[in-house]
Amino acid sequence: MSNDVMVLGGGIAGIQASLDLAEMGIQVHLVEKLPCIGGKMAQLDKTFPTNDCAI
Amino acid sequence: MLDAGRHPKINLLAYSEVEQVSGEVGAFQAKVRKKARYVNEDLCTGCGACVEKCPSTVEDEFNVGLGQRKAIYKYFPQGIPSTHCIDAEHCRQLGQGKKCGVCAKVCQAGAVDYEQQDQLVDLEVGAIVLATGYDVFDPSVIPEYGFDRIDNVVTALEFERLLSASGPTGGHLDRPSELALRAEIAELDKDLNKLNRQIEKLEEKHGKKTSDFIGEFQAGKAGEDGDFERWAALAEKAAAVAEKLAPMKKREAAAHTAKKLAFIQCVGSRDFRFNRFCSSYCCMHSVKEAMIAHEHDNETTSSIFCMDLRAVGRGFEEYKLRGGRSANIQYVRGRVAEITEDSHHNPIVWYESTTTRKVEHETFDMVVLATACVPSSSTPKLAELIGLELDENGFFKTYPLVPLDTTRPGVFVCGCAQGPMDIPESVAQASSAAARAAEVVAPVPKAAAGGGE
């Protein structure tokens, strides 16, 4: 039995899932294939419907 | 992003890929390959001195090929982990076997390590959350939209990079045709400078100006010298390059940023040749891009060509109306049949307007294709690796009443790996998937949950 969780993909969904699990005190292994996490959302300039900055 | 990089409970394995998954819910064993960065993460301070000196230039994936990066690079400025990485394939030292080593020389932290090897990490986990995202549909398979042929037809993600202050144009809406023109001018300028330097040396050596020399040479009065043939050839070449440059520079001086934009919806989605599904976020994405472009320059006008504009979400309908009222956006109901190009690289959009019931055409500065959200290219391989089923569209299969459970117990999916969705929905799903995974690895004792005996 292991109490760790592996999250595959470090985009907005992977980051959010990892943070939620980590905040519950669960050890997370976040695996991202690119050199940095951030995913597609980091490539966006602003987000709808509030035109907030994406990063 | 920063929080995820810093959290003591998150082991961040960036630049890594899963190679093997075995076991079952509660006790999965995974093998993860941590690819060699050739930069020691613990030593690198992220100062970027190596990037400045690196001699190899490559197309920048983060800017979707619109900009350039070096072989040693940081994926994007705010990237986490805040460390550099060498792209071995394009590195002179690692990939091409040439003598270089410049980055190692300039790195004051001594972080560059050409000997670094891939590492295999063994993980033991109770549950897996898939958040592998999506790929942008490649519009070059739709010949009538001319994405391959016409410079100023771009994808929504490319347009996003052009709008971004940290993008390749610093947030100016320069058209790709002008970016290409500028690159060509820079290349020719470099050639011309090289020729001029050689000519100057000859002028100094012989003590006369090229213009005088050419006159004499052509009249056969220059006399005999080993240099003269070469001098004449160089002068001729330089004149030819200068002649080619003049009209290009004139065109560049007359260029302006893109002010008249067209957005084409459902490119690759709701199209039975490619994907039957609706990609859900592109309608609002186009409205947003048109609004931001208008914010940058309030002379900008946009036409959004759509079958119908789907503003389904909190505040979306109001956002769409606000765009039409205050950001010069015109919504045109009609499917675009073809895009052609005029002699000034302006795309011409041909469409059937369902309001006037006529086939019409209009010329724009730039056309943005709202490309579909398609399953990530890694999805089929990952599904095989973990033993998961895919749905009819190629996303991870889930069931309506347990929308985050895949076909294998203990493996959950969230975000666009499950199907197209926007950011708020991805975030909501991610939190739910985290809760589902927590139920597996950290079940609350029945007594505490109020269900005890």
Side-chain angles (χ1 to χ4, degrees), chain B residues 412-445:
Chain B
F412 307 98
V413 60
C414 58
C416 288
Q418 196 230 75
M421 68 188 69
D422 59 20
I423 293 166
E425 207 179 336
S426 287
V427 173
Q429 280 213 344
S431 291
S432 312
R436 292 287 289 144
E439 280 173 30
V440 173
V441 297
V444 178

Side-chain angles (χ1 to χ4, degrees), chain B residues 131-199:
Chain B
T132 47
Y134 68 101
D135 277 353
V136 172
F137 174 77
D138 174 12
S140 55
V141 299
I142 309 182
E144 60 269 30
Y145 287 169
F147 178 68
D148 275 353
R149 291 189 317 272
I150 308 171
D151 280 345
N152 295 327
V153 174
V154 299
T155 65
L157 197 57
E158 286 173 343
F159 191 71
E160 197 77 41
R161 295 314 301 152
L162 291 173
L163 279 178
S164 171
S166 63
T169 56
H172 288 280
L173 262 188
D174 293 329
R175 305 197 306 166
S177 65
E178 266 98 46
L179 295 181
L181 178 68
R182 251 174 246 160
E184 213 180 324
I185 289 176
E187 199 62 32
L188 285 175
D189 260 336
K190 216 164 102 188
D191 290 349
L192 187 62
N193 283 339
K194 210 163 145 192
L195 289 169
N196 281 338
R197 273 201 303 276
Q198 287 172 314
I199 291 171

Side-chain angles (χ1 to χ4, degrees), chain B residues 50-332:
Chain B
C50 49
V51 176
E52 246 169 68
K53 299 286 179 200
C54 176
S56 305
T57 315
V58 201
E59 219 174 66
D60 183 359
E61 305 92 332
F62 185 73
N63 282 323
V64 228
L66 289 166
Q68 302 214 299
R69 65 161 169 86
K70 297 295 185 68
I72 187 164
Y73 67 113
K74 193 170 169 193
Y75 190 58
F76 65 102
Q78 302 87 347
I80 302 285
S82 184
T83 181
H84 286 67
C85 173
I86 298 181
D87 168 2
E89 194 191 332
H90 296 103
C91 169
R92 287 164 76 96
Q93 172 114 4
L94 288 165
Q96 299 162 3
K98 290 180 188 161
K99 258 197 161 168
C100 181
V102 172
C103 49
K105 255 177 249 161
V106 297
C107 181
Q108 291 188 347
V112 176
D113 174 8
Y114 300 118
E115 306 294 320
Q116 204 179 70
Q117 301 285 325
D118 287 4
Q119 263 176 292
L120 280 175
V121 182
D122 285 309
L123 297 177
E124 178 96 12
V125 296
I128 299 174
V129 174
L130 300 174
T132 47
Y134 68 101
D135 277 353
V136 172
F137 174 77
D138 174 12
S140 55
V141 299
I142 309 182
E144 60 269 30
Y145 287 169
F147 178 68
D148 275 353
R149 291 189 317 272
I150 308 171
D151 280 345
N152 295 327
V153 174
V154 299
T155 65
L157 197 57
E158 286 173 343
F159 191 71
E160 197 77 41
R161 295 314 301 152
L162 291 173
L163 279 178
S164 171
S166 63
T169 56
H172 288 280
L173 262 188
D174 293 329
R175 305 197 306 166
S177 65
E178 266 98 46
L179 295 181
L181 178 68
R182 251 174 246 160
E184 213 180 324
I185 289 176
E187 199 62 32
L188 285 175
D189 260 336
K190 216 164 102 188
D191 290 349
L192 187 62
N193 283 339
K194 210 163 145 192
L195 289 169
N196 281 338
R197 273 201 303 276
Q198 287 172 314
I199 291 171
E200 265 169 39
K201 267 188 201 154
L202 289 167
E203 283 181 339
E204 260 173 46
K205 185 175 168 191
H206 295 281
K208 53 180 148 190
K209 288 203 161 168
T210 302
S211 50
D212 299 338
F213 158 74
I214 291 293
E216 287 172 23
F217 183 78
Q218 279 168 348
K221 290 180 192 160
E224 285 293 316
D225 194 302
D227 284 342
F228 287 175
E229 288 279 331
R230 194 166 72 93
W231 192 351
L234 283 172
E236 198 180 321
K237 247 191 197 165
V241 174
E243 198 180 328
K244 202 169 159 194
L245 262 172
M248 285 167 74
K249 287 198 169 165
K250 216 170 161 184
R251 249 168 55 212
E252 197 213 349
H256 59 82
T257 52
K259 288 181 196 291
K260 194 176 173 199
L261 306 171
F263 291 84
I264 299 177
Q265 297 310 114
C266 301
V267 176
S269 346
R270 299 171 75 197
D271 182 333
F272 279 26
R273 292 171 299 172
F274 309 105
N275 301 295
R276 290 170 176 238
F277 58 80
C278 163
S279 293
S280 87
Y281 61 70
C282 353
C283 284
M284 298 310 291
H285 191 188
S286 291
V287 175
K288 181 206 75 177
E289 288 190 330
M291 279 174 86
I292 303 287
H294 181 263
E295 244 175 48
H296 280 231
D297 180 345
N298 58 21
E299 283 176 19
T300 306
T301 58
S302 303
S303 298
I304 299 184
F305 294 90
C306 54
M307 295 194 261
D308 44 21
L309 205 101
R310 298 185 161 179
V312 191
R314 219 170 126 124
F316 290 6
E317 180 66 18
E318 293 83 343
Y319 189 71
K320 178 189 99 179
L321 295 176
R322 179 150 66 95
R325 248 191 343 260
S326 58
N328 292 343
I329 302 175
Q330 191 199 349
Y331 301 104
V332 184

Side-chain angles (χ1 to χ4, degrees), chain B residues 371-389:
Chain B
T371 34
C373 163
V374 296
S376 160
S377 60
S378 65
T379 300
K381 201 179 133 205
L382 198 61
E384 202 188 318
L385 201 80
I386 309 181
L388 303 172
E389 284 176 45

Side-chain angles (χ1 to χ4, degrees), chain B residues 331-398:
Chain B
Y331 301 104
V332 184
R333 190 164 174 274
R335 188 96 168 143
V336 172
E338 194 180 8
I339 304 172
T340 55
E341 190 182 25
D342 72 8
S343 57
H344 299 286
H345 298 286
N346 296 318
I348 306 165
V349 173
W350 298 79
Y351 63 100
E352 185 198 4
S353 165
T354 51
T355 33
T356 61
R357 294 188 181 167
K358 275 186 193 144
V359 174
E360 297 180 354
H361 68 274
E362 198 171 349
T363 306
F364 292 92
D365 291 340
M366 205 191 297
V367 172
V368 183
L369 304 177
T371 34
C373 163
V374 296
S376 160
S377 60
S378 65
T379 300
K381 201 179 133 205
L382 198 61
E384 202 188 318
L385 201 80
I386 309 181
L388 303 172
E389 284 176 45
L390 300 180
D391 68 10
E392 67 279 16
N393 296 321
F395 295 100
F396 289 109
K397 187 173 178 179
T398 57

